[in-house]
Amino acid sequence: MNRSDNIPAPAVRRLSLYLRELEVFQNNGFATVSSRRLGEALHLSDAQVRKDLAYFGQFGHPGIGYRVPELIQRVRRILGTDKLTRVLIVGVGNLGRALIAFRGFAKHGFDVVAAFDRDAAKVGLEVPLSNGVIVQPMRNLPAIVKTQAIRLGILAVPAMAAQEAAEGMVQSGIRGILNFAPVTLQVPPSVAVSSVDIGVHLEQLSFQLSGSGHP
Amino acid sequence: MNRSDNIPAPAVRRLSLYLRELEVFQNNGFATVSSRRLGEALHLSDAQVRKDLAYFGQFGHPGIGYRVPELIQRVRRILGTDKLTRVLIVGVGNLGRALIAFRGFAKHGFDVVAAFDRDAAKVGLEVPLSNGVIVQPMRNLPAIVKTQAIRLGILAVPAMAAQEAAEGMVQSGIRGILNFAPVTLQVPPSVAVSSVDIGVHLEQLSFQLSGSGHP
């Protein structure tokens, strides 16, 4: 049974948002923060903040509020990002290369340690700005997942190749997929999938704009 | 009053997902599709599909189902992506450059026509793989928004610079922001914001994995 079964998904999602805000408070030199201030920027009530955090433990100090560095540390531990997590990436096109070079991963506790592509012309090349990640053929996937004990993979292949690539990842032992391909992946229920579809986001904004002024 | 006020946000969001699936059916050579088949890959019932689409018009043909090319065309028109929409980007770091090079934008009807950065060392340089987009200083933002009639902007600056940059975009006339910075932006209610926080997605996957096996 997963621990996450017991806690509402929106509360887990908001835990990431609290962490973002706490990092801002820390960068601005705050040592403590109240539930009211923590919720303010997110348009959440102090009661909601306290209720969400109570799912995960007892964090507040009476008369003080939350100690910022302590709460950051504890939230990271809950999310499993207090230690560096190795991730791999499948698909080294434009988006894949950008994701590998994206420094935000390291800041959140993720280290892209291996990259795969089915294009033989890319295999063997070093990914720019990657600290030495060499593109490997897809057939190496199972061995790398096993020897490096990787459980999380980023999928950045074109839509038409996504389902097959996802199946290869799952069969190799990957247990969580961050999917950038604009398709709904079919994977076993034991595999977690989180999808980022940039086109969907843009379309939703476009719809809201095109609606303005039309009754 | 916005047209979008009348339609539930989840139905608008699913409209993008239907479009994704319809494009897959089209690529696979299907001329028509039933509501059942359209919903299948998204784990939605045929009744849900019909109800969602009914918010936007009458699309089905008795005994035939939906004609794939026709429904694609009509959904794109509803989303406002049947014509190429000009967008600008603020922040030409790693992620910004990747987004500019990302061919997925054009496929969804968006054309990145201008890029801005507050780093003087970047200003005047051409963005790689961008079809000639030159990085401009932030002070040019209002004039470009006006002369090119741009309403949609992508924000790809670091967290600490995001709020200020967003305010500059809004003051220049931008009405929709696709935000990649890991902060909650404070903008007037008339401005639409859609946020993509890759760190949050990874943390949520990490939490689900770290929970496995722990009661």
Side-chain angles (χ1 to χ4, degrees):
Chain A
M1 178 177 163
N2 282 9
R3 181 182 60 177
S4 47
D5 289 345
N6 308 316
I7 300 169
V12 180
R13 207 190 128 69
R14 284 193 292 268
L15 202 58
S16 283
L17 301 182
Y18 296 140
L19 181 55
R20 280 304 87 64
E21 291 302 319
L22 286 163
E23 287 164 348
V24 172
F25 280 111
Q26 186 170 52
N27 286 335
N28 290 334
F30 287 85
T32 64
V33 66
S34 65
S35 48
R36 187 181 60 76
R37 297 240 16 210
L38 184 52
E40 235 166 30
L42 301 165
H43 306 295
L44 297 169
S45 70
D46 53 341
Q48 181 74 64
V49 172
R50 285 195 300 269
K51 187 182 166 194
D52 283 342
L53 292 176
Y55 284 115
F56 303 97
Q58 183 65 43
F59 303 108
H61 301 279
I64 293 175
Y66 303 106
R67 293 202 171 96
V68 173
E70 178 199 0
L71 188 52
I72 286 177
Q73 197 48 41
R74 291 184 67 179
V75 171
R76 282 187 184 150
R77 197 173 308 148
I78 291 163
L79 292 170
T81 58
D82 52 331
K83 283 167 262 164
L84 215 53
T85 299
R86 286 181 299 278
V87 301
L88 59 79
I89 188 161
V90 175
V92 191
N94 260 324
L95 186 65
R97 280 198 301 273
L99 290 170
I100 295 168
F102 178 46
R103 272 163 303 182
F105 283 133
K107 215 176 62 187
H108 289 108
F110 300 94
D111 190 14
V112 181
V113 295
F116 301 85
D117 204 288
R118 67 176 187 183
D119 180 358
K122 286 179 186 157
V123 167
L125 300 177
E126 182 175 332
V127 183
L129 302 171
S130 72
N131 289 324
V133 173
I134 309 284
V135 181
Q136 301 191 61
M138 291 297 285
R139 67 171 181 278
N140 288 9
L141 196 55
I144 296 290
V145 168
K146 201 173 171 195
T147 56
Q148 300 215 35
I150 301 171
R151 303 175 72 207
L152 210 54
I154 299 167
L155 183 56
V157 302
M160 297 303 280
Q163 180 60 33
E164 191 186 330
E167 285 168 14
M169 292 165 85
V170 170
Q171 280 157 21
S172 300
I174 290 295
R175 285 293 159 261
I177 297 176
L178 179 58
N179 172 38
F180 283 88
V183 290
T184 303
L185 298 176
Q186 312 297 324
V187 298
S190 61
V191 177
V193 173
S194 184
S195 287
V196 179
D197 191 324
I198 295 169
V200 169
H201 281 273
L202 277 167
E203 284 170 6
Q204 297 294 303
L205 284 174
S206 168
F207 176 80
Q208 288 177 60
L209 296 191
S210 69
S212 302
H214 298 267
Chain B
M1 179 176 160
N2 282 9
R3 181 181 60 175
S4 48
D5 288 346
N6 308 317
I7 300 168
V12 180
R13 206 190 129 71
R14 284 192 292 267
L15 201 59
S16 284
L17 302 182
Y18 296 140
L19 180 56
R20 278 308 85 63
E21 291 303 318
L22 287 164
E23 288 164 348
V24 172
F25 281 111
Q26 185 169 53
N27 286 334
N28 290 333
F30 288 84
T32 62
V33 67
S34 65
S35 48
R36 188 182 58 76
R37 297 238 19 207
L38 185 51
E40 235 165 31
L42 301 165
H43 307 294
L44 297 169
S45 70
D46 54 339
Q48 181 74 63
V49 172
R50 286 194 299 270
K51 187 181 165 194
D52 283 343
L53 291 176
Y55 285 115
F56 304 97
Q58 183 63 43
F59 304 108
H61 301 278
I64 294 174
Y66 303 107
R67 292 201 171 97
V68 173
E70 179 198 0
L71 188 51
I72 288 178
Q73 197 48 42
R74 291 184 66 179
V75 171
R76 283 188 183 149
R77 197 173 307 147
I78 291 163
L79 292 172
T81 58
D82 53 330
K83 283 167 263 166
L84 215 55
T85 299
R86 287 183 298 279
V87 301
L88 59 79
I89 188 162
V90 175
V92 191
N94 260 326
L95 186 65
R97 280 197 302 272
L99 291 169
I100 294 168
F102 178 47
R103 270 163 304 182
F105 283 133
K107 214 176 62 188
H108 289 108
F110 300 93
D111 189 13
V112 181
V113 295
F116 299 85
D117 204 289
R118 67 174 187 184
D119 180 358
K122 287 178 186 157
V123 168
L125 300 178
E126 182 174 332
V127 182
L129 302 171
S130 71
N131 289 326
V133 173
I134 308 284
V135 181
Q136 301 191 59
M138 292 296 285
R139 66 171 181 277
N140 289 10
L141 196 55
I144 297 290
V145 169
K146 201 173 172 193
T147 56
Q148 301 216 34
I150 301 171
R151 301 175 73 208
L152 209 55
I154 299 167
L155 184 56
V157 302
M160 297 302 281
Q163 180 60 33
E164 192 187 328
E167 287 168 14
M169 292 165 85
V170 170
Q171 282 157 21
S172 300
I174 290 294
R175 284 293 158 262
I177 297 175
L178 179 58
N179 172 38
F180 284 87
V183 290
T184 303
L185 298 177
Q186 312 297 324
V187 297
S190 61
V191 177
V193 174
S194 184
S195 287
V196 179
D197 192 323
I198 296 169
V200 168
H201 281 272
L202 278 167
E203 284 170 5
Q204 298 293 304
L205 285 173
S206 168
F207 176 80
Q208 289 177 59
L209 295 191
S210 68
S212 303
H214 297 269

mmCIF file of all heavy atoms in Angstrom, chain A residues 24 27-28 107, chain B residues 90-91 117-119 138 155-169 179 181-183 185:
data_model
loop_
_atom_site.group_PDB
_atom_site.id
_atom_site.type_symbol
_atom_site.label_atom_id
_atom_site.label_comp_id
_atom_site.label_asym_id
_atom_site.label_seq_id
_atom_site.Cartn_x
_atom_site.Cartn_y
_atom_site.Cartn_z
ATOM 1 N N VAL A 24 11.129 31.067 -1.059
ATOM 2 C CA VAL A 24 11.118 32.520 -1.262
ATOM 3 C C VAL A 24 11.324 33.234 0.070
ATOM 4 O O VAL A 24 12.133 34.162 0.179
ATOM 5 C CB VAL A 24 9.792 32.972 -1.926
ATOM 6 C CG1 VAL A 24 9.689 34.500 -1.954
ATOM 7 C CG2 VAL A 24 9.669 32.407 -3.337
ATOM 8 N N ASN A 27 14.937 32.926 0.985
ATOM 9 C CA ASN A 27 15.773 33.823 0.172
ATOM 10 C C ASN A 27 15.645 35.278 0.628
ATOM 11 O O ASN A 27 16.570 36.058 0.480
ATOM 12 C CB ASN A 27 15.394 33.716 -1.307
ATOM 13 C CG ASN A 27 15.896 32.428 -1.925
ATOM 14 O OD1 ASN A 27 16.872 31.847 -1.450
ATOM 15 N ND2 ASN A 27 15.228 31.971 -2.968
ATOM 16 N N ASN A 28 14.471 35.630 1.181
ATOM 17 C CA ASN A 28 14.265 36.999 1.653
ATOM 18 C C ASN A 28 14.669 37.179 3.107
ATOM 19 O O ASN A 28 14.416 38.220 3.700
ATOM 20 C CB ASN A 28 12.791 37.404 1.457
ATOM 21 C CG ASN A 28 12.453 37.574 -0.018
ATOM 22 O OD1 ASN A 28 13.326 37.872 -0.834
ATOM 23 N ND2 ASN A 28 11.200 37.366 -0.379
ATOM 24 N N LYS A 107 18.413 21.897 -8.542
ATOM 25 C CA LYS A 107 17.927 22.700 -7.423
ATOM 26 C C LYS A 107 16.803 21.979 -6.693
ATOM 27 O O LYS A 107 16.604 22.163 -5.492
ATOM 28 C CB LYS A 107 17.429 24.052 -7.946
ATOM 29 C CG LYS A 107 17.676 25.202 -7.020
ATOM 30 C CD LYS A 107 17.245 26.509 -7.644
ATOM 31 C CE LYS A 107 15.758 26.551 -7.944
ATOM 32 N NZ LYS A 107 15.365 27.742 -8.707
ATOM 33 N N VAL B 90 9.783 36.139 -22.488
ATOM 34 C CA VAL B 90 10.649 36.960 -21.641
ATOM 35 C C VAL B 90 11.554 36.014 -20.868
ATOM 36 O O VAL B 90 11.068 35.137 -20.139
ATOM 37 C CB VAL B 90 9.824 37.844 -20.675
ATOM 38 C CG1 VAL B 90 10.741 38.592 -19.715
ATOM 39 C CG2 VAL B 90 8.967 38.833 -21.466
ATOM 40 N N GLY B 91 12.855 36.159 -21.040
ATOM 41 C CA GLY B 91 13.834 35.276 -20.396
ATOM 42 C C GLY B 91 14.444 34.335 -21.419
ATOM 43 O O GLY B 91 13.792 33.407 -21.888
ATOM 44 N N ASP B 117 15.240 39.953 -22.807
ATOM 45 C CA ASP B 117 16.036 39.578 -21.638
ATOM 46 C C ASP B 117 16.622 40.847 -21.029
ATOM 47 O O ASP B 117 16.924 41.808 -21.747
ATOM 48 C CB ASP B 117 17.151 38.601 -22.033
ATOM 49 C CG ASP B 117 17.609 37.750 -20.859
ATOM 50 O OD1 ASP B 117 18.267 38.293 -19.936
ATOM 51 O OD2 ASP B 117 17.282 36.548 -20.831
ATOM 52 N N ARG B 118 16.763 40.835 -19.701
ATOM 53 C CA ARG B 118 17.313 42.048 -19.070
ATOM 54 C C ARG B 118 18.831 42.016 -19.030
ATOM 55 O O ARG B 118 19.465 42.979 -18.625
ATOM 56 C CB ARG B 118 16.722 42.230 -17.667
ATOM 57 C CG ARG B 118 17.123 41.176 -16.673
ATOM 58 C CD ARG B 118 16.582 41.555 -15.284
ATOM 59 N NE ARG B 118 17.094 40.635 -14.266
ATOM 60 C CZ ARG B 118 16.745 40.671 -12.991
ATOM 61 N NH1 ARG B 118 15.887 41.582 -12.568
ATOM 62 N NH2 ARG B 118 17.256 39.815 -12.134
ATOM 63 N N ASP B 119 19.432 40.887 -19.480
ATOM 64 C CA ASP B 119 20.889 40.743 -19.503
ATOM 65 C C ASP B 119 21.441 41.394 -20.776
ATOM 66 O O ASP B 119 21.221 40.903 -21.885
ATOM 67 C CB ASP B 119 21.248 39.257 -19.452
ATOM 68 C CG ASP B 119 22.757 39.027 -19.479
ATOM 69 O OD1 ASP B 119 23.518 40.021 -19.572
ATOM 70 O OD2 ASP B 119 23.172 37.855 -19.407
ATOM 71 N N MET B 138 14.427 44.707 -22.332
ATOM 72 C CA MET B 138 13.091 44.765 -21.738
ATOM 73 C C MET B 138 12.370 46.074 -22.080
ATOM 74 O O MET B 138 11.139 46.095 -22.197
ATOM 75 C CB MET B 138 13.181 44.606 -20.215
ATOM 76 C CG MET B 138 13.614 43.226 -19.747
ATOM 77 S SD MET B 138 12.429 41.923 -20.202
ATOM 78 C CE MET B 138 11.106 42.211 -19.014
ATOM 79 N N LEU B 155 6.751 33.254 -19.920
ATOM 80 C CA LEU B 155 7.665 33.786 -18.910
ATOM 81 C C LEU B 155 8.638 32.689 -18.496
ATOM 82 O O LEU B 155 8.232 31.666 -17.951
ATOM 83 C CB LEU B 155 6.859 34.289 -17.701
ATOM 84 C CG LEU B 155 7.628 34.973 -16.580
ATOM 85 C CD1 LEU B 155 8.432 36.155 -17.087
ATOM 86 C CD2 LEU B 155 6.663 35.436 -15.497
ATOM 87 N N ALA B 156 9.923 32.895 -18.807
ATOM 88 C CA ALA B 156 10.935 31.854 -18.529
ATOM 89 C C ALA B 156 12.151 32.465 -17.856
ATOM 90 O O ALA B 156 13.287 32.209 -18.234
ATOM 91 C CB ALA B 156 11.328 31.149 -19.830
ATOM 92 N N VAL B 157 11.893 33.273 -16.814
ATOM 93 C CA VAL B 157 12.985 33.896 -16.049
ATOM 94 C C VAL B 157 13.121 33.165 -14.711
ATOM 95 O O VAL B 157 12.227 32.414 -14.315
ATOM 96 C CB VAL B 157 12.713 35.401 -15.805
ATOM 97 C CG1 VAL B 157 12.527 36.132 -17.131
ATOM 98 C CG2 VAL B 157 11.500 35.609 -14.912
ATOM 99 N N PRO B 158 14.233 33.370 -13.977
ATOM 100 C CA PRO B 158 14.355 32.747 -12.659
ATOM 101 C C PRO B 158 13.272 33.246 -11.700
ATOM 102 O O PRO B 158 12.710 34.332 -11.893
ATOM 103 C CB PRO B 158 15.747 33.184 -12.182
ATOM 104 C CG PRO B 158 16.488 33.558 -13.433
ATOM 105 C CD PRO B 158 15.444 34.099 -14.366
ATOM 106 N N ALA B 159 13.014 32.446 -10.655
ATOM 107 C CA ALA B 159 11.943 32.734 -9.697
ATOM 108 C C ALA B 159 12.015 34.167 -9.170
ATOM 109 O O ALA B 159 11.004 34.873 -9.130
ATOM 110 C CB ALA B 159 11.996 31.735 -8.543
ATOM 111 N N MET B 160 13.200 34.611 -8.788
ATOM 112 C CA MET B 160 13.333 35.914 -8.127
ATOM 113 C C MET B 160 12.979 37.077 -9.061
ATOM 114 O O MET B 160 12.669 38.169 -8.596
ATOM 115 C CB MET B 160 14.758 36.102 -7.593
ATOM 116 C CG MET B 160 15.167 35.094 -6.529
ATOM 117 S SD MET B 160 14.077 35.095 -5.076
ATOM 118 C CE MET B 160 14.701 36.548 -4.191
ATOM 119 N N ALA B 161 13.062 36.866 -10.367
ATOM 120 C CA ALA B 161 12.806 37.939 -11.325
ATOM 121 C C ALA B 161 11.399 37.867 -11.907
ATOM 122 O O ALA B 161 10.999 38.750 -12.683
ATOM 123 C CB ALA B 161 13.836 37.881 -12.448
ATOM 124 N N ALA B 162 10.629 36.845 -11.530
ATOM 125 C CA ALA B 162 9.391 36.545 -12.258
ATOM 126 C C ALA B 162 8.287 37.578 -12.038
ATOM 127 O O ALA B 162 7.643 38.017 -12.994
ATOM 128 C CB ALA B 162 8.891 35.154 -11.873
ATOM 129 N N GLN B 163 8.054 37.965 -10.787
ATOM 130 C CA GLN B 163 6.944 38.887 -10.506
ATOM 131 C C GLN B 163 7.150 40.216 -11.239
ATOM 132 O O GLN B 163 6.229 40.736 -11.874
ATOM 133 C CB GLN B 163 6.798 39.092 -8.989
ATOM 134 C CG GLN B 163 5.668 40.045 -8.584
ATOM 135 C CD GLN B 163 4.285 39.574 -9.037
ATOM 136 O OE1 GLN B 163 4.016 38.372 -9.089
ATOM 137 N NE2 GLN B 163 3.412 40.501 -9.397
ATOM 138 N N GLU B 164 8.376 40.748 -11.171
ATOM 139 C CA GLU B 164 8.665 42.030 -11.827
ATOM 140 C C GLU B 164 8.483 41.900 -13.341
ATOM 141 O O GLU B 164 7.888 42.772 -13.991
ATOM 142 C CB GLU B 164 10.090 42.478 -11.488
ATOM 143 C CG GLU B 164 10.369 43.918 -11.887
ATOM 144 C CD GLU B 164 11.844 44.295 -11.704
ATOM 145 O OE1 GLU B 164 12.494 43.750 -10.775
ATOM 146 O OE2 GLU B 164 12.343 45.118 -12.508
ATOM 147 N N ALA B 165 8.984 40.824 -13.897
ATOM 148 C CA ALA B 165 8.865 40.621 -15.344
ATOM 149 C C ALA B 165 7.396 40.487 -15.742
ATOM 150 O O ALA B 165 6.965 41.037 -16.766
ATOM 151 C CB ALA B 165 9.646 39.378 -15.768
ATOM 152 N N ALA B 166 6.602 39.775 -14.930
ATOM 153 C CA ALA B 166 5.176 39.605 -15.227
ATOM 154 C C ALA B 166 4.469 40.955 -15.223
ATOM 155 O O ALA B 166 3.619 41.227 -16.082
ATOM 156 C CB ALA B 166 4.536 38.655 -14.217
ATOM 157 N N GLU B 167 4.814 41.807 -14.260
ATOM 158 C CA GLU B 167 4.189 43.133 -14.201
ATOM 159 C C GLU B 167 4.532 43.946 -15.445
ATOM 160 O O GLU B 167 3.681 44.652 -15.999
ATOM 161 C CB GLU B 167 4.617 43.859 -12.913
ATOM 162 C CG GLU B 167 3.928 43.262 -11.685
ATOM 163 C CD GLU B 167 4.514 43.746 -10.356
ATOM 164 O OE1 GLU B 167 5.276 44.729 -10.351
ATOM 165 O OE2 GLU B 167 4.209 43.108 -9.325
ATOM 166 N N GLY B 168 5.768 43.836 -15.905
ATOM 167 C CA GLY B 168 6.165 44.521 -17.139
ATOM 168 C C GLY B 168 5.367 44.032 -18.336
ATOM 169 O O GLY B 168 4.955 44.818 -19.197
ATOM 170 N N MET B 169 5.140 42.706 -18.381
ATOM 171 C CA MET B 169 4.349 42.142 -19.485
ATOM 172 C C MET B 169 2.918 42.672 -19.443
ATOM 173 O O MET B 169 2.357 43.080 -20.469
ATOM 174 C CB MET B 169 4.353 40.607 -19.398
ATOM 175 C CG MET B 169 5.726 39.987 -19.668
ATOM 176 S SD MET B 169 5.844 38.247 -19.144
ATOM 177 C CE MET B 169 5.169 37.403 -20.583
ATOM 178 N N ASN B 179 3.525 30.648 -17.574
ATOM 179 C CA ASN B 179 4.580 30.893 -16.589
ATOM 180 C C ASN B 179 5.384 29.634 -16.279
ATOM 181 O O ASN B 179 4.834 28.657 -15.771
ATOM 182 C CB ASN B 179 3.949 31.429 -15.297
ATOM 183 C CG ASN B 179 4.949 31.515 -14.156
ATOM 184 O OD1 ASN B 179 6.109 31.866 -14.378
ATOM 185 N ND2 ASN B 179 4.503 31.187 -12.946
ATOM 186 N N ALA B 181 8.245 29.997 -14.387
ATOM 187 C CA ALA B 181 8.994 30.304 -13.161
ATOM 188 C C ALA B 181 8.292 29.663 -11.961
ATOM 189 O O ALA B 181 7.067 29.672 -11.890
ATOM 190 C CB ALA B 181 9.092 31.812 -12.966
ATOM 191 N N PRO B 182 9.043 29.099 -11.037
ATOM 192 C CA PRO B 182 8.424 28.399 -9.891
ATOM 193 C C PRO B 182 7.924 29.342 -8.814
ATOM 194 O O PRO B 182 8.353 29.275 -7.670
ATOM 195 C CB PRO B 182 9.556 27.502 -9.388
ATOM 196 C CG PRO B 182 10.813 28.212 -9.769
ATOM 197 C CD PRO B 182 10.502 28.984 -11.029
ATOM 198 N N VAL B 183 7.028 30.264 -9.192
ATOM 199 C CA VAL B 183 6.401 31.173 -8.226
ATOM 200 C C VAL B 183 4.940 31.360 -8.616
ATOM 201 O O VAL B 183 4.550 31.141 -9.762
ATOM 202 C CB VAL B 183 7.064 32.570 -8.204
ATOM 203 C CG1 VAL B 183 8.446 32.515 -7.597
ATOM 204 C CG2 VAL B 183 7.115 33.178 -9.591
ATOM 205 N N LEU B 185 2.361 33.923 -9.466
ATOM 206 C CA LEU B 185 2.350 35.320 -9.915
ATOM 207 C C LEU B 185 1.109 36.041 -9.402
ATOM 208 O O LEU B 185 0.025 35.466 -9.349
ATOM 209 C CB LEU B 185 2.363 35.380 -11.454
ATOM 210 C CG LEU B 185 3.575 34.783 -12.153
ATOM 211 C CD1 LEU B 185 3.394 34.858 -13.663
ATOM 212 C CD2 LEU B 185 4.856 35.482 -11.730
#
